[in-house]
Amino acid sequence: MKILVLGSGAREHAIILALRAEEDAHDILAAPGNAGIAQDATIVGVDPLDGAAVTAFANEHAVDLVVVGPEAPLVAGVADALRERGIPVFGPGRAAAQLEGSKAFAKRIMESASVPTGRAVHAATAEEVEAAFDELGSPYVVKADGLAAGKGVIVTEDRAEARAHAAQYLPTGPVLVEEFLSGPEVSLFFLSDGDTVRALSPAQDFKRALDGDEGPNTGGMGAYSPLPWLAERFGSEEAFVQQVTDEIALPVIRQLDAEGTPFIGLLYAGLILTDKGVRVIEFNARFGDPETQVVLPRLRTPLSALLLAAASGTLEDQPRPEFSDDVAITVVLASEGYPEAPRTGRPIEGLEDAAAVEGVRIVHAATAGPDAPGGSLIATGGRVLNVVATGSGFRDARARAYEAIGRIRLDGAHHRTDIAARVAD
């Protein structure tokens, strides 16, 4: 197939690597891509936020499938433009993408579908925020209602800090003040064709910048899959996945379909396992980052067949996706100052040495080519690289990941040293 992947981050690079690993040789295009993606796909000059331009390109170049990676093109309606012209696209339309684009919309859908989640108050003014704090108590959970690149959420016992976070987003729209939920978090992806869903393997990510889950929230500093501890609570990972499918994913997909906004693409369920049961923290309308980087390397079922079936409305004909028994972890290498004020433009060295470690692949998140022939790649963002390692067990995978990340040189860079440490003990 000729496949066009829209996006420029590690999530898109991970998708492309999974497509390239298949036995069938696909012609993979990417827009706008990054320096790492350019090594594994053909970069094309089309604006991923311009639905008309993407549609014209796909028609002109006989693209068989468009995969929309990040949230911004989805909320901008790029998938709608493609579907109107009959081009298979993996990604929900603008209306269904509001499941991620608006926290208030997501809460309404969950309420209508009787999906378990925490209480929330929609606050449009500072006074309403204060009243919500009084009602829901500490720790305070404040979320920007719209897209915030993974950094619109704060969880704190400091009321002044929570108030300041709300004040940062109130000028552009309401915020949600939510009930604090306690327990381990799980990310679970569902492929959907608007009617049928197929679950992938669960993963857990690490949002805080520093070891021990300290420091500010980030877009994600690492992840691992599978989650062996799920069996202790649910009997097996399969039982957990089935419960979430029945109680969360299918009710949401059916509710959206009943409202005339079918969800075709990737439903990301951010879950928390509380003492009272599984609760939804949030939904995203695309593959999660960095969880994609550990879920897809374990996928045995061809990803292209799953994505095309979802885009074409034939997912029910696809069997349940199969996964390797291997484990996978990823450690994010971030620029100095991330997440508050990352310093970019610095050279990256040692990538070939890192990639030479057995079971390791380097997934690029924010890199650009060298300014001169023979020069080094340049870091262009906060989260720069994902070091992904697979192995027969977590100790093996962790050892490989951290050996590889130790070979990479980026001035001032930082990473967490405790990714998957608990499951490796």
Side-chain angles (χ1 to χ4, degrees):
M1 285 195 292
K2 181 176 284 189
I3 304 171
L4 171 61
V5 178
L6 302 182
S8 62
R11 165 184 48 235
E12 290 75 41
H13 195 188
I15 291 169
I16 288 167
L17 287 172
L19 294 171
R20 279 180 56 86
E22 296 179 11
E23 292 183 3
D24 293 334
H26 301 297
D27 183 3
I28 305 173
L29 314 175
N34 60 39
I37 289 174
Q39 298 172 17
D40 296 298
T42 302
I43 303 299
V44 298
V46 60
D47 181 356
L49 293 173
D50 186 336
V54 173
T55 300
F57 178 91
N59 271 326
E60 180 180 351
H61 295 273
V63 171
D64 298 300
L65 173 66
V66 178
V67 180
V68 185
E71 58 270 31
L74 296 171
V75 174
V78 170
D80 295 302
L82 289 159
R83 283 198 183 93
E84 288 171 3
R85 296 294 297 272
I87 300 168
V89 53
F90 183 81
R94 186 201 308 267
Q98 287 302 302
L99 201 63
E100 176 171 4
S102 169
K103 301 295 190 295
F105 177 85
K107 285 291 185 182
R108 183 187 68 76
I109 291 295
M110 282 187 272
E111 181 178 356
S112 299
S114 299
V115 167
T117 186
R119 292 184 298 149
V121 175
H122 202 230
T125 66
E127 291 75 18
E128 291 178 353
V129 168
E130 294 294 338
F133 288 167
D134 290 339
E135 177 183 348
L136 297 177
S138 174
Y140 305 105
V141 182
V142 182
K143 296 182 178 180
D145 185 53
L147 299 178
K151 295 184 282 291
V153 180
I154 190 171
V155 180
T156 178
E157 295 184 359
D158 186 331
R159 186 159 177 153
E161 185 180 20
R163 183 184 299 121
H165 185 80
Q168 177 183 351
Y169 292 99
L170 281 174
T172 58
V175 298
L176 256 66
V177 180
E178 295 193 359
E179 172 190 10
F180 175 75
L181 299 173
S182 179
E185 296 185 19
V186 177
S187 300
L188 187 54
F189 300 159
F190 292 90
L191 303 158
S192 170
D193 64 1
D195 179 49
T196 300
V197 299
R198 290 286 184 266
L200 300 185
S201 183
Q204 186 173 70
D205 77 333
F206 295 73
K207 288 296 187 187
R208 297 285 188 171
L210 307 177
D211 286 1
D213 292 328
E214 300 290 337
N217 263 348
T218 72
M221 295 298 292
Y224 70 91
S225 177
L227 309 184
W229 46 268
L230 282 174
E232 299 175 8
R233 184 160 181 173
F234 297 89
S236 67
E237 180 179 290
E238 291 76 14
F240 168 78
V241 169
Q242 191 61 55
Q243 178 179 329
V244 177
T245 300
D246 295 340
E247 297 180 1
I248 294 170
L250 279 174
V252 165
I253 294 302
R254 288 167 179 166
Q255 182 64 34
L256 289 167
D257 189 41
E259 295 190 7
T261 55
F263 190 100
I264 302 168
L266 197 290
L267 176 66
Y268 167 120
L271 310 166
I272 188 163
L273 312 187
T274 75
D275 291 339
K276 297 180 180 179
V278 181
R279 299 288 185 269
V280 176
I281 303 173
E282 65 174 352
F283 286 123
N284 290 333
R286 37 71 191 178
F287 279 103
D289 184 349
E291 299 96 326
T292 302
Q293 289 87 297
V294 293
V295 172
L296 293 188
R298 300 182 53 241
L299 180 65
R300 286 178 169 171
T301 307
L303 178 63
S304 61
L306 293 170
L307 300 183
L308 183 61
S312 306
T314 59
L315 197 56
E316 65 179 351
D317 297 332
Q318 291 290 320
R320 178 177 297 179
E322 295 183 1
F323 289 84
S324 165
D325 291 332
D326 284 349
V327 305
I329 82 161
T330 184
V331 181
V332 171
L333 185 70
S335 293
E336 181 181 4
Y338 177 77
E340 292 90 351
R343 299 189 180 183
T344 60
R346 292 175 173 175
I348 310 164
E349 305 283 354
L351 293 180
E352 289 188 7
D353 287 343
V357 176
E358 183 181 359
V360 165
R361 69 192 72 187
I362 307 300
V363 181
H364 291 239
T367 59
D371 293 333
S376 302
L377 296 184
I378 302 299
T380 60
R383 292 186 296 167
V384 181
L385 298 166
N386 281 229
V387 175
V388 181
T390 56
S392 58
F394 283 104
R395 288 186 181 181
D396 185 28
R398 290 190 81 249
R400 291 173 174 180
Y402 283 107
E403 179 183 351
I405 206 166
R407 298 184 182 189
I408 300 173
R409 299 178 297 281
L410 172 61
D411 189 31
H414 64 97
H415 64 274
R416 285 186 58 160
T417 66
D418 61 348
I419 304 301
R422 292 177 181 174
V423 291
D425 292 338

